[in-house]
Amino acid sequence: MSESPKGISGRIAAFFQESQLTPLLALVGLLLGVFAVLVTPREEEPQIDVTFANVFIPYPGGSAKEVEQLVTNNAEQVAMQIAGVEHVYSNSMPGMAVLGVRFEVGQKRTDAIVRLYNAFYEHQDWMPKGVNAGPVLIKPKGIDDVPVFAVTLTDKDPAAGAQLPLAVARLLETELKRVPGTGDVYTLGGPEQIVQVALNAQRLAAFGLSPRDLRDALQATNQSTDAGSVVSANTAIQVQAGTFLTRPEEVGALVVGLFQGRPVYLRDVADVKLTTALPEHYVNDCTTGSAGQCRPAVTVAVTKKAGENAVAVTNGLEARLDALHGIAIPDNVALRITRNYGQTAEDKALKLIEKLVFATSSVVLLVLLTLGRREAVIVGTAVFITLTITLFASWAAGFTLNRVSLFALIFSIGILVDDAIVVVENIHRHLVRGGKSLREAIPLAVDEVGGPTILATFTVIAALLPMAFVRGLMGPYMSPIPINASMGMLISLAVAFVLTPWLALKLLGRAAAHHGHEEGRLDRWLLDTFRARMTPFLKGRAGRSARVKLLGGIIIAILLSMGLAVVKLVVLKMLPFDNKSEFQVVVDMPAGTPLEETERVMQALGSSLATVPEVTDF
């Protein structure tokens, strides 16, 4: 009579080793993994909820002290009443109060912003009586407001300036917004063109006019309103009254008064011309080397929507730019992509996937050398299916493919293979011992190691999972490690009890008859090697000296390995290196520094950076 397994692991193995559901379940797990790889967004970093908002409250005419006492203090009290608010920062300035409201990490962006709006609109009577403050403006910010893509435009003619690139950038804003997944698209650099009206005091006095007359005439004329509709010939015609002034000629032809029965035009009392506005940003694109130079430039920055795949969005933006060459981008405008976080995210993901494949292959190779090629195939298949199902579970849990989540899989690969190796090794041992058929040996072999394997799995999970409940910024950032590793451990346990017995029955059946002879020689060689190396340490007092030397050697090896970190031959890091080809220099100038002085300092800093051999452009 054949012996039947008594534990739950052996009974599971006995059921699934010949079940037709087992290969179907494995196929489903494989397809789920492929689906997860295709649909999971790829990011550089984990997408955590870090929500904050700027609240602008105008108080025209109020001094900084009045703004603080009458507006800011009351606004702070309103903001601190909101659930989930961690910090409130305030800045009082003449005519304006600005609050920075930061929510706790993990607060959902939409819910947090709705609570912020509700708080200020529910307390519209929070202002002291007699204080005529303007409407509250709330501008939410989050991690997705950081641009993932930037393209810098310059005129190939160094003396041409940035007017043409600015015009092209305005066209690109519209075109790039059409790419699926893009968020905000905006342009930095390049002063806007304006119509400048320079008053002539002598002419104004000669015609009996004042600056107020000109202002009133401009305000009354430079507007367009809907004047209703006229029905004619069975057709409703929309009537628009007035037009906006766009050209210097139109502004100069504006009638601003009468003198001696004749109209006075704006060009009679002022110089009207098309010019550039005072710049709010200076952008220069510089290259180094013998032909290095700086040119006025404009940069178009693009953010992405929350939850979108950064790789797909940036690839779509690149394709759109390629299609616009010669159409919206003239040949005399040079274009250079100065930020592409999708490309860096893809590079990091591929690098970590390579390391994941290397780690898995190393384990399979070890099994191949010690147990055999069929056992190696079983372990490799079990690990691969475990990883695919884990990727699907990670996607279902809301994680993205980033360097932290992939690092979690690499970190846990040594743990994930344990279950499959333990089960396969014990099946292998039963085959070597003989006495039972493979069909009988598999459930018993799984049953023998089932309890310790379950206990070891949950012990590791118990050690890892508490890390997922760390609060603050680091907790959600590092949460893919404990959660992905724990899910992978559970999936690995299920695969070891369900898929591994079925694979063992299919792959080891033909070799079962020869297993004892072939593997016996390998076992004898390993046993002889073990005895030759370890016996000297086990000979009572005679082996004491050898044991002391062994202990001393181990201690020295540990100290030497720790010394590698001290001399920085091995760098201690929680995560893989963030190997970017760019860095950012931020300069804080004194308050009140004009833009032109800041530009001068940046030009001097750029000249210094240009002397660094590793710098190619800035």
Side-chain angles (χ1 to χ4, degrees):
M1 180 180 294
S2 61
E3 185 180 353
S4 60
K6 299 179 181 179
I8 185 173
S9 56
R11 291 198 295 269
I12 292 174
F15 175 79
F16 282 102
Q17 70 174 356
E18 296 186 83
S19 174
Q20 296 180 353
L21 287 175
T22 306
L24 181 60
L25 292 175
L27 179 61
V28 170
L30 177 63
L31 294 177
L32 289 177
V34 173
F35 168 79
V37 171
L38 293 176
V39 302
T40 304
R42 297 187 182 184
E43 306 282 355
E44 280 202 76
E45 309 290 348
Q47 294 299 287
I48 56 180
D49 289 312
V50 184
T51 302
F52 57 97
N54 292 326
V55 181
F56 300 89
I57 309 173
Y59 181 23
S63 66
K65 191 67 175 178
E66 292 171 338
V67 169
E68 180 186 15
Q69 294 177 347
L70 300 177
V71 180
T72 305
N73 292 339
N74 295 293
E76 287 177 348
Q77 295 179 14
V78 172
M80 289 303 299
Q81 297 174 10
I82 305 171
V85 170
E86 185 174 18
H87 292 292
V88 176
Y89 309 91
S90 63
N91 182 19
S92 302
M93 62 187 74
M96 177 73 71
V98 181
L99 269 66
V101 181
R102 195 179 86 189
F103 289 84
E104 296 174 354
V105 177
Q107 293 285 325
K108 296 298 181 183
R109 174 186 171 93
T110 302
D111 296 340
I113 298 304
V114 168
R115 292 199 298 271
L116 183 61
Y117 270 96
N118 285 344
F120 276 97
Y121 282 102
E122 285 177 358
H123 298 82
Q124 293 189 32
D125 56 346
W126 59 274
M127 293 292 294
K129 295 185 181 301
V131 176
N132 186 24
V136 177
L137 173 63
I138 298 176
K139 300 190 71 174
K141 298 291 182 180
I143 193 170
D144 287 304
D145 293 313
V146 177
V148 297
F149 188 86
V151 56
T152 299
L153 307 173
T154 56
D155 199 313
K156 292 182 179 180
D157 181 6
Q163 288 306 314
L164 179 59
L166 179 61
V168 175
R170 295 304 184 197
L171 290 175
L172 289 183
E173 285 185 12
T174 304
E175 295 294 336
L176 295 182
K177 285 178 182 178
R178 297 176 181 176
V179 176
T182 55
D184 191 17
V185 182
Y186 56 91
T187 299
L188 295 174
E192 299 283 355
Q193 285 194 323
I194 60 172
V195 177
Q196 184 185 64
V197 178
L199 302 183
N200 189 308
Q202 293 179 348
R203 296 181 191 173
L204 281 173
F207 286 106
L209 298 174
S210 66
R212 180 185 294 272
D213 297 326
L214 272 62
R215 187 195 65 180
D216 294 342
L218 281 169
Q219 289 180 345
T221 308
N222 188 32
Q223 58 181 334
S224 178
T225 58
D226 184 6
S229 61
V230 175
V231 179
S232 175
N234 203 29
T235 302
I237 303 173
Q238 297 294 325
V239 178
Q240 196 78 13
T243 59
F244 291 108
L245 304 177
T246 58
R247 294 181 296 118
E249 295 80 6
E250 296 174 348
V251 177
L254 177 65
V255 177
V256 294
L258 292 173
F259 183 75
Q260 296 180 355
R262 298 178 57 186
V264 179
Y265 299 99
L266 183 60
R267 59 175 176 264
D268 296 332
V269 295
D271 295 325
V272 182
K273 62 180 179 179
L274 186 66
T275 184
T276 56
L278 291 175
E280 297 181 358
H281 307 91
Y282 281 114
V283 177
N284 292 288
D285 188 36
C286 308
T287 57
T288 61
S290 58
Q293 57 181 337
C294 291
R295 296 179 179 179
V298 295
T299 294
V300 181
V302 185
T303 67
K304 71 175 187 66
K305 296 178 182 177
E308 293 290 338
N309 189 335
V311 177
V313 172
T314 55
N315 287 344
L317 291 170
E318 285 191 90
R320 188 65 179 168
L321 288 175
D322 291 339
L324 292 173
H325 273 291
I327 302 175
I329 306 174
D331 294 335
N332 57 336
V333 171
L335 177 149
R336 188 166 65 87
I337 295 175
T338 49
R339 173 177 290 186
N340 189 343
Y341 280 0
Q343 182 62 47
T344 54
E346 179 81 350
D347 293 341
K348 290 177 183 177
L350 292 177
K351 187 67 175 179
L352 289 170
I353 289 174
E354 288 177 7
K355 294 182 178 180
L356 185 63
V357 172
F358 175 77
T360 306
S361 303
S362 301
V363 173
V364 173
L365 179 61
L366 180 61
V367 176
L368 173 65
L369 296 176
T370 56
L371 295 181
R373 63 181 185 277
R374 296 176 185 271
E375 289 82 352
V377 172
I378 295 172
V379 172
T381 303
V383 172
F384 184 73
I385 296 297
T386 299
L387 291 176
T388 57
I389 301 176
T390 303
L391 287 173
F392 175 78
S394 177
W395 168 81
F399 294 117
T400 61
L401 277 181
N402 54 74
R403 64 185 189 133
V404 177
S405 60
L406 288 173
F407 172 73
L409 295 180
I410 298 174
F411 162 77
S412 60
I413 191 68
I415 307 173
L416 297 181
V417 299
D418 278 355
D419 296 340
I421 290 178
V422 167
V423 170
V424 171
E425 194 279 332
N426 207 40
I427 295 174
H428 169 86
R429 186 177 67 87
H430 275 260
L431 289 179
V432 173
R433 291 175 55 187
K436 294 183 179 67
S437 66
L438 181 62
R439 185 172 281 100
E440 296 172 337
I442 289 176
L444 295 176
V446 175
D447 201 30
E448 282 182 353
V449 298
T453 302
I454 294 173
L455 180 61
T457 299
F458 281 96
T459 300
V460 175
I461 292 175
L464 287 175
L465 202 54
M467 184 179 173
F469 300 98
V470 175
R471 300 189 63 185
L473 184 63
M474 208 59 187
Y477 183 85
M478 302 299 292
S479 62
I481 293 178
I483 295 177
N484 279 353
S486 299
M487 290 191 302
M489 287 295 297
L490 291 175
I491 295 168
S492 172
L493 186 66
V495 170
F497 291 164
V498 173
L499 179 61
T500 303
W502 182 85
L503 289 171
L505 184 64
K506 298 299 180 183
L507 296 180
L508 300 182
R510 298 177 182 178
H514 306 284
H515 240 289
H517 175 68
E518 294 178 356
E519 301 302 330
R521 288 185 299 177
L522 177 60
D523 287 349
R524 284 193 296 272
W525 178 82
L526 291 174
L527 182 60
D528 293 341
T529 303
F530 179 80
R531 284 175 175 170
R533 298 291 183 271
M534 298 304 297
T535 300
F537 298 100
L538 305 176
K539 290 181 178 180
R541 291 187 177 182
R544 182 176 181 179
S545 176
R547 291 194 295 270
V548 171
K549 292 179 180 178
L550 176 63
L551 178 60
I554 293 175
I555 294 175
I556 292 174
I558 292 175
L559 292 177
L560 288 176
S561 63
M562 295 173 62
L564 294 175
V566 175
V567 298
K568 296 185 178 180
L569 291 177
V570 173
V571 180
L572 299 180
K573 282 180 62 68
M574 184 65 184
L575 295 171
F577 278 107
D578 189 8
N579 189 21
K580 285 186 178 180
S581 59
E582 65 181 50
F583 65 93
Q584 189 175 34
V585 179
V586 179
V587 179
D588 288 327
M589 300 291 289
T593 303
L595 181 62
E596 289 70 24
E597 176 64 14
T598 304
E599 165 69 1
R600 187 191 66 78
V601 172
M602 298 305 293
Q603 291 285 0
L605 179 60
S607 300
S608 178
L609 288 175
T611 63
V612 179
E614 292 80 7
V615 174
T616 59
D617 51 74
F618 56 91

